[in-house]
């Protein structure tokens, strides 16, 4: 006989953390498309309306699910990682942490790619301000200059996302968006959705408190260099493939 679903009382008192953890478990088992507030309420043994005391709706819930699984990517940028302790060791450690998340939650991971990041100039899967600050600090503190650190962030993100989306797709995860994509405002936008001028943005030190590398490098991170990056990555790939040819 199949076990009965766990209820909120058997798991603990209902709160946002419990709801989000249960949502992660539900998506792991059934996929994103099957998640609804009603089904999640049934999983917890409560009415769906009870969940709205803690989450604003499905959109808020999906964002919280992404945040929950990505908390596993947690590195101290100044931690020594072996005798050499170069930036290569740090990138290896971070890449494996993100890969572990993708393989542990293959049906959740596509959300990491499709949900809006903390800022429009951030890229999944390193999609939070704190994670990118850690990334930049780790490289810059190991002797990488600002411009190179930004290029490495972009290249590293593209590599991880491409490989890991293929990996989760290979085990049956759907990589289609769970809903209509959100309208994202680019860093260059000067009007709101009604065509009215946007107010002047506060300075970086107010928008990005405690994140000195992001404050300094935001203009570089916001530049659109996708075409240039594609050509550079393609050239590097062709050079690597040439080594395989006898």
């Amino acid at each position: 006989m199949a076990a009965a679903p766990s209820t909120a009382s058997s798991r603990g008192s209902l709160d946002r953390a419990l709801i989000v953890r249960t949502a992660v478990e539900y998506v792991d088992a059934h996929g994103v498309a099957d998640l609804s507030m009603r089904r999640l309420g049934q999983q917890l043994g409560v009415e769906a309306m009870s969940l709205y005391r803690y989450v604003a709706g499905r959109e808020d819930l999906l964002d919280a699910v992404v945040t929950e699984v990505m908390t596993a990517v947690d590195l101290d940028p100044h931690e020594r990682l072996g005798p050499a302790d170069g930036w290569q060791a740090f990138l290896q450690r971070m890449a494996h942490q993100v890969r572990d998340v993708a393989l542990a939650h293959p049906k959740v991971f596509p959300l990491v790619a499709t949900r809006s990041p903390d800022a429009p100039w951030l890229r999944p899967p390193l999609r939070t301000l704190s994670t990118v600050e850690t990334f930049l600090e780790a490289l810059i503190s190991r002797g990488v200059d600002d411009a190179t650190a930004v290029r490495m962030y972009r290249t590293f993100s593209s590599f991880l996302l491409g490989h890991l989306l293929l990996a989760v797709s290979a085990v049956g995860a759907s990589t289609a968006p769970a809903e209509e994509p959100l309208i994202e405002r680019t860093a260059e936008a000067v009007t709101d959705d009604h065509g009215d001028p946007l107010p002047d943005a506060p300075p970086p030190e107010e928008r990005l408190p405690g994140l000195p590398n992001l404050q300094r490098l935001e203009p570089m991170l916001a530049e659109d260099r996708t075409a240039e990056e594609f050509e550079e990555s393609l050239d590097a790939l062709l050079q690597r493939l040439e080594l395989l040819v006898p």
Side-chain angles (χ1 to χ4, degrees):
M1 180 180 297
S6 299
T7 64
S9 59
S10 66
R11 294 165 176 249
S13 59
L14 189 66
D15 57 20
R16 183 179 174 90
L18 174 60
I19 291 169
V20 173
R21 288 197 306 270
T22 306
V24 171
E25 295 170 4
Y26 189 93
V27 174
D28 281 341
H30 305 288
V32 176
D34 201 45
L35 178 67
S36 68
M37 301 298 279
R38 179 179 61 82
R39 289 170 178 152
L40 185 59
Q42 291 175 342
Q43 188 79 6
L44 286 162
V46 300
E47 294 293 330
M49 290 303 296
S50 301
L51 305 181
Y52 288 95
R53 293 179 55 194
Y54 306 98
V55 292
R58 190 170 186 268
E59 295 296 307
D60 181 33
L61 182 62
L62 293 178
D63 286 339
V65 164
V66 170
T67 300
E68 175 72 14
V69 299
M70 293 305 291
T71 55
V73 180
D74 182 22
L75 282 172
D76 179 350
H78 300 292
E79 178 186 357
R80 290 193 59 82
L81 301 173
D85 189 39
W87 56 262
Q88 297 92 333
F90 179 84
L91 293 190
Q92 282 188 327
R93 180 76 64 87
M94 176 169 275
H96 281 284
Q97 284 196 357
V98 178
R99 184 175 183 269
D100 288 345
V101 169
L103 297 183
H105 306 282
K107 294 180 180 179
V108 174
F109 189 77
L111 285 174
V112 176
T114 57
R115 303 301 296 174
S116 295
D118 283 355
W121 34 266
L122 295 183
R123 298 182 176 187
L126 307 184
R127 59 193 314 283
T128 67
L129 295 170
S130 59
T131 302
V132 177
E133 176 70 18
T134 295
F135 181 96
L136 295 172
E137 175 62 24
L139 268 61
I140 291 167
S141 67
R142 288 168 170 81
V144 178
D145 64 79
D146 286 356
T148 303
V150 171
R151 292 183 66 183
M152 291 171 73
Y153 162 70
R154 289 170 167 159
T155 303
F156 186 73
S157 299
S158 298
F159 165 82
L160 278 184
L161 192 63
H163 272 270
L164 296 180
L165 283 177
L166 283 174
V168 299
S169 178
V171 296
S174 171
T175 55
E179 66 285 317
E180 289 297 315
L182 298 176
I183 298 174
E184 295 185 14
R185 192 176 310 286
T186 66
E188 294 79 17
V190 294
T191 60
D192 63 18
D193 297 331
H194 304 289
D196 297 322
L198 292 172
D200 291 338
E205 56 270 20
E206 294 182 16
R207 288 183 289 104
L208 303 167
L211 304 170
N213 291 300
L214 288 181
Q215 291 175 20
R216 187 177 69 258
L217 299 177
E218 179 186 4
M220 296 173 64
L221 289 163
E223 291 177 353
D224 182 4
R225 294 184 174 271
T226 50
E228 175 185 335
E229 292 164 24
F230 177 82
E231 295 298 338
E232 290 178 349
S233 298
L234 180 58
D235 286 345
L237 173 62
L238 294 177
Q239 291 174 27
R240 182 175 178 181
L241 292 177
E242 188 175 3
L243 298 176
L244 303 178
V245 179

